[in-house]
Amino acid sequence: MTRLSDYQQICHAFQERGALPPCTLGPDPGPGFSMTLRENRLGPVTMGVTDISACRPWTGEMVSVDESDLYTVVIPLVGFHHVVQRDREVLLRPGQPTLLDATIPTRRQTSSYGPFQIMFTAVPRSALGLHTGRITDHLLATELPADDGIGSLTTFYLRNLCKQTGELSPAAAERVGRSCVELITAYVGDLLCDRPDLGDGVTDALVLRAQSFADAHLGDHDLSPAAVAASVHISVRYLHKLFADRQMTVAGWIRRRRLERCHLDLSDPVQGSWSITEIAHRWGFTDSAHFSRAFKAAYGVSPRDHRITTCTPPL
């Protein structure tokens, strides 16, 4: 453990490696205070653990610096952790994550006597590619969900990865770090997109991205709303809401696009050697009878009659 007299030196060395913005300590945590900082770089990500021993509650002040352009996912492992950033404050229990912005002054407090252990994962904000204003408005210094879904997956992954960081080769650390960024992006993006007050431009872009993904995977028999939602980092529930707001359903839109592709291929003389079943299967239909019924409901003729009418040259 490192004593209080070395605290500022520890923080300075830690900050030089890009893990934390400058820190000041106050009030005096007392003679029983000690602190250890451990961190590892994983490509764009810095991950580490802070161990604190204190004889009374203490406060750590973190001041803003523009060059520390980081978001930090903070998860207490032992003890409760009180965080204040801007006008928000949150008391975190062990395993409860929050998100902090290193460019915003932050106050961290232990709520009782030590020991305490806090895990952090610092990611450059540019790596997430998300709307920073919405993150600031909605997610900073709040309790982020961690009991199910992608929240549970993310916290489980980060906690277990933190135990293994020192054992990774440089190449493996780089790859794992990029995967870590993608997972945090999916987690934060899902939280943002579940909020009902997103602007029309943002939601329209999400729908277009979802439709583009589905269009590129129409032939995948496993294509589902869950797969489409995952491709744009939003929840299935929110994906259904986006489509419902536009008087559509996800499954209905996928079925219509598949039928349109089949309709086009059945009209093409070049594809005359392909059977109707083969064309239907190519575009994601697994049941020939179901395909025929859906095709006739959409176009008023059977697939066979449509092919005869469009592909047979006039006499």
Side-chain angles (χ1 to χ4, degrees), residues 130-173:
L130 297 173
H131 193 293
T132 57
R134 295 199 57 76
I135 292 176
T136 300
D137 290 343
H138 296 294
L139 299 184
L140 295 186
T142 62
E143 291 187 12
L144 302 184
D147 295 330
D148 55 22
I150 194 169
S152 176
L153 173 64
T154 302
T155 54
F156 177 83
Y157 178 84
L158 294 180
R159 292 180 66 169
N160 282 274
L161 176 59
C162 192
K163 300 174 185 177
Q164 309 294 328
T165 53
E167 302 175 12
L168 299 175
S169 68

Side-chain angles (χ1 to χ4, degrees), residues 39 73 179 226 233 277:
E39 58 90 19
V73 179
S179 297
H233 311 305
T277 297

